[in-house]
Amino acid sequence: MFALLTQTYIMPEGPSILILKEAAMQFKGQKVVAASCNNGAIDAALLIHQTITDIKSWGKHFLICFPSLTVRVHMMMFGSYRINSHTEKPARLHLLFENGDELNFYASQLKLIDEPLDEIYDWSADVMSPTWDGKKAIKKMKDIPGLLACDALMNQNLFAGVGNIIKNEVLFRTQIHPESLMSALPPKKLKEFIAETISYSFEFLEQKKAGKLKKNWKAYNKKICPRDETPFIKRDTGKSHRTSFYCELCMKKYS
């Protein structure tokens, strides 16, 4: 049996899903002998006697691939998973394999996909994918009038995998006010914006693995700006209405 591996998510982002993907690769090639879903979101019986052909991810989506269908798991705000262990509460999705291993998801959103994944997902929009395409992201942003920086980062069609933590840290690092118009960013600042999004996403991954993610936050959930030592403004911004932490002294509002 593999060692217990439990991960709880709070606002899961792409790097956290990659960690789950790495942990779940042990199930590739294994056959499901029992399956259940505690809320009827999917017909879990369809998975019994099916063999996992691959484990993939796209942004915040965790994908369990079978020969003719794929299970999409979205952790939402408070989802969690357990490998070779379970809680007292029924799992949202429970998979038992022929060798006795098990994979359990809790407080997650499930969906069955029967179309080819390449027809559904733009893999080049995933900020942690080797196929990430920054030029394509810029082109997409130009087609969205009035797009704000805070909304651009939270738009999964533009930056799949970015969540509120990455958003706040990237904007602070680049000194861009969350309500800046993307169309008003100078080319050099736009290039920095995109580069920092990718760079910090991978830093997030390494810090999460090392258990040092929260210790390295500069803006997210912080009260004082470490650059100016003035109070951060904390409020919901943009059409996404997600919380932003920003400094009005060092973060410029492009408009």
Side-chain angles (χ1 to χ4, degrees):
M1 295 285 287
F2 289 88
L4 169 65
L5 199 163
T6 304
Q7 181 68 49
T8 300
Y9 292 95
I10 298 178
M11 291 184 293
E13 312 203 15
S16 299
I17 301 304
L18 274 187
I19 293 174
L20 166 56
K21 177 184 174 182
E22 292 175 4
M25 285 303 292
Q26 61 185 275
F27 297 110
K28 183 177 179 179
Q30 290 203 44
K31 181 183 290 186
V32 176
V33 295
S36 62
C37 172
N38 75 340
N39 70 348
I42 65 171
D43 183 359
L46 295 174
L47 308 178
I48 299 174
H49 305 309
Q50 297 287 322
T51 298
I52 292 179
T53 57
D54 206 354
I55 300 290
K56 296 184 177 183
S57 66
W58 179 85
K60 301 177 184 181
H61 293 182
F62 177 68
L63 304 166
I64 307 172
C65 305
F66 294 92
S68 59
L69 55 82
T70 298
V71 179
R72 188 193 77 185
V73 182
H74 193 307
M75 293 293 182
M76 306 303 287
M77 293 287 284
F78 304 106
S80 64
Y81 68 86
R82 288 185 176 234
I83 292 176
N84 294 330
S85 179
H86 55 267
T87 67
E88 293 181 357
K89 295 181 179 180
R92 180 60 43 83
L93 175 64
H94 165 71
L95 298 177
L96 178 67
F97 300 91
E98 57 186 347
N99 65 354
D101 289 344
E102 61 179 298
L103 177 60
N104 296 298
F105 293 92
Y106 301 87
S108 304
Q109 184 184 75
L110 306 176
K111 181 180 180 180
L112 286 181
I113 300 172
D114 54 16
E115 304 105 313
L117 294 182
D118 288 345
E119 295 181 7
I120 297 175
Y121 290 107
D122 177 2
W123 305 104
S124 67
D126 187 331
V127 297
M128 306 202 70
S129 169
T131 62
W132 159 258
D133 190 337
K135 292 182 179 179
K136 194 172 182 179
I138 292 174
K139 184 177 180 181
K140 289 179 182 178
M141 285 189 282
K142 289 180 178 179
D143 292 333
I144 307 176
L147 180 66
L148 302 181
C150 58
D151 289 330
L153 285 170
M154 296 297 285
N155 187 324
Q156 298 304 291
N157 291 321
L158 300 174
F159 299 97
V162 170
N164 212 34
I165 296 173
I166 294 176
K167 180 199 81 177
N168 277 283
E169 293 300 305
V170 167
L171 292 176
F172 179 74
R173 287 179 173 212
T174 56
Q175 297 181 254
I176 297 173
H177 189 287
E179 294 176 320
S180 294
L181 276 171
M182 290 304 298
S183 59
L185 262 60
K188 184 177 180 181
K189 182 58 70 171
L190 178 58
K191 183 178 180 180
E192 179 188 1
F193 174 87
I194 290 178
E196 194 61 54
T197 300
I198 306 306
S199 175
Y200 179 69
S201 295
F202 281 95
E203 284 186 37
F204 184 122
L205 176 63
E206 296 308 314
Q207 291 170 6
K208 182 82 172 178
K209 287 181 175 180
K212 299 179 179 179
L213 181 62
K214 292 184 180 180
K215 294 179 181 179
N216 287 284
W217 287 342
K218 302 296 183 184
Y220 181 74
N221 218 22
K222 298 295 182 179
K223 294 182 178 180
I224 304 295
C225 173
R227 273 196 291 258
D228 300 299
E229 297 184 350
T230 58
F232 271 126
I233 304 297
K234 176 188 176 182
R235 69 182 184 87
D236 293 347
T237 59
K239 293 181 179 179
S240 57
H241 301 293
R242 296 298 299 275
T243 304
S244 291
F245 302 83
Y246 60 93
C247 174
E248 291 186 316
L249 293 179
C250 66
M251 296 171 70
K252 182 176 179 179
K253 187 173 183 179
Y254 295 86
S255 59

